[in-house]
């Protein structure tokens, strides 16, 4: 007989499937398409072993190791190349999927009052958390099987069945691990914002700890779940122990989430909320002050993360020149940029990654306006002496300032660490200019978000797919040899690659004008449309 604590778990599982009948398939299709596309592209681009060996030499440097992890470079087959360059990045996306889905069906539902209604029905105390985590386990198992058998079905010689299933299993257990992490933070935090913030912080810290370990002696990598995943070496050594280790820790996290859910009160959290002041300050009484207060913790967490990210990337600059000096083949590959040294040629590659990551909290700040609207919190504000124009302006100011701060902190962190490890440091203006040149593209993304909020509020999630598209076509465009027009569909595709290229002010000014136009159009739509719940 089933425990009453889990009563009607099956019905709640069906409800989760019903609510996410579009969202979940989109995640699965997107991740699977990206996974299967990469080895096909590699096979076309690097058809001979000699070409793959050249690519292996380009990847054998601390900067690339920090980004994608260590790889088996001695026998760089299509399978080994796919695992080395794609497994870690795809695992991060899978982890993000689990974080967002678990938060949506646990703390977010509790925060919005849905869970209270469900608990009033004949359901067990642990039925919701059990159904949510069970559903995430199922999704990640399906993801593992689809990607595993899908990779094997490509029929590439070096991609055997065991390696393919191991690759898929690595993605699946990563998703299960971060589902467990998010389940725990859903009990500790009192808000969905905090749950997502803490969980993403764990994801970022895991990535950074792995990066530091991979470019040093590898010790710290063993303290990161993402470090364990890179040790699988699918299509090479085919190590299964990281899968079982990650799965074992995931089970412990899931059990801990169930225990914490059983002993806490509904809508309470183990991280206590600090009591506020008896009287609000004048700043807090304004729409801008309230919006800043709601997003304060998330902004601080992302700011620290971006600065640490810059430090981690900057810390590898000390070894780059010495590596390049002994690698004539790599020098020949980079000889097209004769006006800049070899270290400088890596700066644009780092900057696009940091710019894309800096855009995430920037868009989150803007989309908070829509999030508050969906939770029926805007009617109360708009019933006071607060205009829609003033309300939207508050979130725009936060988003615009947020973007500038995030990209600036990443650049400052990179410059500080690079100067500390390099014999001849780089000018601050060089690093900061190479980062800040991406700011107009970030403003265009803010403008696009404002446009969606104004006219298509139910489709605001499109902005995340557009950001993912931008990352793929800009960061991986050269690898996959995409046509130029594919990159030009993203605002980041117009940014000059400083310091390799000369500064071109025309695209910068054009992007700024486009951003202003999109924001103004968004204002018009938001002022005229109905406020929705």
């Amino acid at each position: 007989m089933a425990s009453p604590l889990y009563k009607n778990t099956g019905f709640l599982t069906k409800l989760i499937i019903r609510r996410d009948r579009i969202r979940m398939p989109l995640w699965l299709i997107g991740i699977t398409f990206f996974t299967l596309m990469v080895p096909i592209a590699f096979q076309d681009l690097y058809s001979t072993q000699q070409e793959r060996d050249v690519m292996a030499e380009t990847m054998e440097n601390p900067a690339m190791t920090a980004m994608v992890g260590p790889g088996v470079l001695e026998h760089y087959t299509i399978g080994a190349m796919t695992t080395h360059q794609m497994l870690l990045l795809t695992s991060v996306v899978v982890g993000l999927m689990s974080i967002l889905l678990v938060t949506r069906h646990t703390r977010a539902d509790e925060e919005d009052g849905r869970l209270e209604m469900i608990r009033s029905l004949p359901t067990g105390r642990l039925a919701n958390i059990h159904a949510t985590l069970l559903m995430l386990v199922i999704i990640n198992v399906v993801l593992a099987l689809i990607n595993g058998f899908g990779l094997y079905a490509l029929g590439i010689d070096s991609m055997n069945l065991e390696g393919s299933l191991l690759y898929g299993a690595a993605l699946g257990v990563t998703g299960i691990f971060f589902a467990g992490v998010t389940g725990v933070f859903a009990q500790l935090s009192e808000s969905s914002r905090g749950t997502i913030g803490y969980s993403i912080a764990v994801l970022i810290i895991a990535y950074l700890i792995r990066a530091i370990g991979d470019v040093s002696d590898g010790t710290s990598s063993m303290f990161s779940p993402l470090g364990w995943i890179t040790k699988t070496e699918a299509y090479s050594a085919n190590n299964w122990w990281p899968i079982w280790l990650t799965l074992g820790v995931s089970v412990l996290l899931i059990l801990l989430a169930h225990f914490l859910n059983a002993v806490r009160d509904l809508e309470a959290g183990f991280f206590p909320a600090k009591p506020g002041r008896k009287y609000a300050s004048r700043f807090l009484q304004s729409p801008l002050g309230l919006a800043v207060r709601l997003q304060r913790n998330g902004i601080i967490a992302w700011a620290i993360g971006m600065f640490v990210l810059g430090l981690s990337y900057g810390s590898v600059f000390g070894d780059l020149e010495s590596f390049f000096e002994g690698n004539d083949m790599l020098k020949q590959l980079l000889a097209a940029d004769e006006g800049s040294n070899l270290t400088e040629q890596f700066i644009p590659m780092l900057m696009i990654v940091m710019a894309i990551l800096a855009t995430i909290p920037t868009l989150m700040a803007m989309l908070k306006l829509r999030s508050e609207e969906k939770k029926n919190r805007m009617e109360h504000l708009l019933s006071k002496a607060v205009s829609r124009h003033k309300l939207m302006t508050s979130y725009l100011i936060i988003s615009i300032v947020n973007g500038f701060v995030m990209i600036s902190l990443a650049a400052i962190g990179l410059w500080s660490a690079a100067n500390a490890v390099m014999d001849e440091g780089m000018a601050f203006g060089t690093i900061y200019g190479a980062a800040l040149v991406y700011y107009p593209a970030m403003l265009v993304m803010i403008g696009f978000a404002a446009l969606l909020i104004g006219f298509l509020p139910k489709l605001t999630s499109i902005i995340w797919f557009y950001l993912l598209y931008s990352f793929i076509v800009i960061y991986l465009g050269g690898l996959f040899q995409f046509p130029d027009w594919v990159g030009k569909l993203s605002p980041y595709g117009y940014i000059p690659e400083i310091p390799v290229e000369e500064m071109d002010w025309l695209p910068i000014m054009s992007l700024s004008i486009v951003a202003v136009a999109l924001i103004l159009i968004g204002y018009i739509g938001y002022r005229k449309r109905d406020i929705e719940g």
Side-chain angles (χ1 to χ4, degrees), residues 124-369:
R125 183 182 183 90
L126 298 178
N128 187 73
I129 183 70
H130 192 61
T132 299
L133 294 178
L134 176 63
M135 193 65 245
L136 262 294
V137 170
I138 293 173
I139 291 171
N140 283 288
V141 169
V142 171
L143 177 70
L145 292 174
I146 291 176
N147 283 271
F149 285 109
L151 288 169
Y152 178 66
L154 295 177
I156 299 174
D157 292 337
S158 60
M159 302 180 71
N160 56 31
L161 180 59
E162 182 184 5
S164 298
L165 292 178
L166 179 58
Y167 191 105
L171 296 180
V173 296
T174 302
I176 294 173
F177 177 87
F178 283 100
V181 168
T182 311
V184 171
F185 281 119
Q187 317 311 316
L188 298 177
S189 177
E190 288 191 338
S191 67
S192 59
R193 183 175 66 254
T195 301
I196 292 176
Y198 288 124
S199 301
I200 291 180
V202 171
L203 180 63
I204 294 174
I205 291 172
Y207 183 88
L208 294 176
I209 290 175
R210 177 217 54 80
I212 294 171
D214 288 345
V215 298
S216 56
D217 60 0
T219 302
S220 66
S221 297
M222 295 307 299
F223 294 93
S224 167
L226 296 180
W228 305 340
I229 294 303
T230 61
K231 300 296 188 296
T232 54
E233 297 183 0
Y235 302 117
S236 300
N238 286 336
N239 299 317
W240 283 89
W241 66 263
I243 303 299
W244 305 121
L245 174 60
T246 308
L247 194 60
V249 177
S250 301
V251 171
L252 295 178
L253 289 170
I254 290 173
L255 292 175
L256 178 60
H258 280 72
F259 172 75
L260 294 176
N261 187 264
V263 300
R264 73 173 178 86
D265 294 332
L266 189 66
E267 298 185 3
F270 286 91
F271 293 162
K274 296 181 180 179
R277 291 187 293 180
K278 187 174 182 180
Y279 299 101
S281 64
R282 291 184 61 85
F283 180 65
L284 185 58
Q285 294 178 43
S286 66
L288 177 60
L290 178 60
V292 170
R293 182 62 176 270
L294 290 174
Q295 303 183 58
R296 180 182 59 186
N297 292 340
I299 292 173
I300 294 173
W302 271 100
I304 295 173
M306 292 306 302
F307 182 72
V308 173
L309 178 68
L311 288 175
S312 66
Y313 281 152
S315 64
V316 304
F317 271 71
D319 299 325
L320 286 181
E321 285 293 347
S322 59
F323 171 77
F324 288 142
E325 287 175 1
N327 195 320
D328 294 334
M329 185 175 295
L330 184 55
K331 284 185 177 181
Q332 293 174 4
L333 289 173
L334 299 178
D337 297 308
E338 297 178 355
S340 56
N341 62 52
L342 297 170
T343 301
E344 288 176 339
Q345 293 174 33
F346 273 85
I347 293 177
M349 180 178 63
L350 299 177
M351 290 306 174
I352 183 58
V353 176
M354 295 196 301
I356 294 289
L357 289 175
T359 306
I360 295 175
T362 302
L363 292 178
M364 289 174 64
M366 186 67 226
L367 295 179
K368 184 67 175 176
L369 175 63

Side-chain angles (χ1 to χ4, degrees), residues 107-115 192 267 374-375 377:
R107 180 55 71 172
D109 277 353
E110 190 171 345
E111 194 175 38
D112 295 341
R114 295 190 188 96
L115 192 54
S192 59
E267 298 185 3
K374 288 169 63 178
K375 295 176 181 178
R377 294 171 180 168

Side-chain angles (χ1 to χ4, degrees), residues 10 12 14 41 94 106 134 278 313 347 375 399 424 473 479 517:
L12 289 178
K14 293 178 183 178
V94 173
T106 53
L134 176 63
K278 187 174 182 180
Y313 281 152
I347 293 177
K375 295 176 181 178
S399 184
E424 295 182 8
V473 299
L479 181 65

Side-chain angles (χ1 to χ4, degrees), residues 53-65:
D53 289 339
V54 171
M55 174 53 67
E57 292 201 42
T58 67
M59 300 297 291
E60 194 178 358
N61 67 80
M64 297 309 301
T65 301

